[in-house]
Amino acid sequence: MFDRLAKVRVLEGCTPETLPLERLLAEATPTVLPGLARDWSLVRAGLESSQAARELLRSHYNGRPLQYNWGEPSTAGRPFYNEDFTRLNCEVRRGTLDQVLDELAACEDDPAPPTYYVASLLVDYCLPSLRGHNDLGLERHGVSAPPSIWIGNRVTASCHYDAPNNIACCAVGRRRFTLFPPEQVHNLYPGPLHPTPGGQAVSVVDFEAPDLERYPRFAEAIKAGQTVVLEPGDAIFIPSMWWHHVQGLDPFTVLVNYWWSSMPAWIPTPMHALNLAMWSIRDRPEQEKRAWRELFEYYVFGPAGRAGEHLPEQARGELAPFDETSARRMRAALINKLNR
């Protein structure tokens, strides 16, 4: 499948200091940033050997416990579902980073190892000193995005979307990214909302062997897809809401990523609105849903100022742009109504 996909756009010559974040956000296009993290000590250690990378991680570890996913060799590195999509095929375990690194080293040469995956671990929680020589320093660009680290073997993060913007840095081992624009949700066959392998709904299509008889619309997604294999030190910008499928291609892999929202902290994730809309609108008669679609277009998806433009400024209330005070009022009103 992957040879039928377009290549992700490449932007050469970027450094952490010259990263064009405003351009990336404005264009909202997946972009490979070759060598953005090439000077990281973790990248250099990984190029020396996986053992050197593990020892560097140990040297920064503060001993705090962590959670990780573990799966039988039959999971083949793909945290996913059982046959009827009611349970996951991996279990969540609790341990130490030293333990996980030891077990990864022990099975590194195994052609069919168990699946190990430390996912979305905040660097500052377990590896606070790592950032000294392994950080993009996005604060210099006005972005608050505490980095997360992902450690495992040949693990596949099935195709999913994230609400925040994302820069993912391939630190140890290679990774293949396959991306689709948000409108391809109709052709990607998302799985259950609960449970999920990683917090978001994932495509149930097996990208290694897509079953187009069972999932025929996936053929349309392929036409819109983009792919790239990142080498250690490379990074990729993934815009908000773009679907992405991420495959670790080597026996030991480490990725560091940065998520951040383009909105201020007092604006909540739209996922709350989606859940509430499914509950309150989805199962209504079609004529009611059409009417609600028009209201959403008028108040939400159309131009932000349209619904209140004909009113005096002092009368616009929720029709005016939200600030921290009006956001608190809205939150309190919603909680009050939902608790009735």
Side-chain angles (χ1 to χ4, degrees), residues 121-309:
L121 176 68
L122 283 173
V123 170
D124 290 342
Y125 172 77
C126 274
L127 301 153
S129 60
L130 183 69
R131 295 181 71 180
H133 298 284
N134 301 274
D135 192 22
L136 293 184
L138 295 184
E139 295 83 359
R140 67 167 66 91
H141 302 286
V143 169
S144 176
S148 297
I149 194 166
W150 309 67
I151 302 168
N153 41 16
R154 288 188 178 93
V155 178
T156 294
S158 293
C159 195
H160 64 284
Y161 68 89
D162 295 310
N165 299 294
N166 186 6
I167 292 180
C169 301
C170 191
V172 181
R174 298 164 300 138
R175 268 183 164 82
R176 178 188 287 117
F177 284 76
T178 305
L179 302 103
F180 303 88
E183 59 268 24
Q184 289 302 314
V185 58
H186 306 277
N187 300 323
L188 289 171
Y189 297 90
L193 297 180
H194 305 285
T196 65
Q200 292 283 21
V202 303
S203 170
V204 300
V205 179
D206 182 352
F207 279 35
E208 293 291 339
D211 184 346
L212 295 182
E213 290 189 5
R214 188 174 183 182
Y215 307 115
R217 295 193 307 275
F218 187 66
E220 293 301 311
I222 292 173
K223 296 176 183 178
Q226 305 175 26
T227 191
V228 65
V229 173
L230 295 191
E231 299 291 333
D234 292 343
I236 185 170
F237 167 69
I238 304 174
S240 167
M241 304 301 290
W242 273 70
W243 290 75
H244 48 289
H245 184 82
V246 187
Q247 298 167 282
L249 302 178
D250 291 302
F252 181 64
T253 56
V254 182
L255 179 139
V256 175
N257 88 297
Y258 300 80
W259 280 311
W260 76 99
S261 172
S262 57
M263 300 302 294
W266 60 78
I267 301 295
T269 171
M271 199 68 199
H272 301 326
L274 178 62
N275 287 327
L276 186 55
M278 286 192 295
W279 176 29
S280 62
I281 297 175
R282 185 194 60 200
D283 299 332
R284 291 180 180 274
E286 285 302 315
Q287 66 272 20
E288 293 187 27
K289 289 170 67 173
R290 286 195 297 270
W292 280 105
R293 182 182 293 115
E294 292 301 322
L295 280 179
F296 270 71
E297 176 62 29
Y298 182 73
Y299 285 107
V300 178
F301 294 110
R306 179 178 63 186
E309 64 185 0

Side-chain angles (χ1 to χ4, degrees), residues 81-157:
Y81 295 96
N82 62 0
E83 290 188 0
D84 65 2
F85 296 95
T86 58
R87 296 179 59 190
L88 300 178
N89 65 358
C90 287
E91 61 185 72
V92 177
R93 293 184 171 183
R94 193 168 178 83
T96 66
L97 181 59
D98 288 335
Q99 170 196 339
V100 173
L101 294 176
D102 286 343
E103 295 181 19
L104 280 166
C107 66
E108 188 166 358
D109 297 324
D110 190 335
T115 295
Y116 287 90
Y117 199 29
V118 177
S120 190
L121 176 68
L122 283 173
V123 170
D124 290 342
Y125 172 77
C126 274
L127 301 153
S129 60
L130 183 69
R131 295 181 71 180
H133 298 284
N134 301 274
D135 192 22
L136 293 184
L138 295 184
E139 295 83 359
R140 67 167 66 91
H141 302 286
V143 169
S144 176
S148 297
I149 194 166
W150 309 67
I151 302 168
N153 41 16
R154 288 188 178 93
V155 178
T156 294

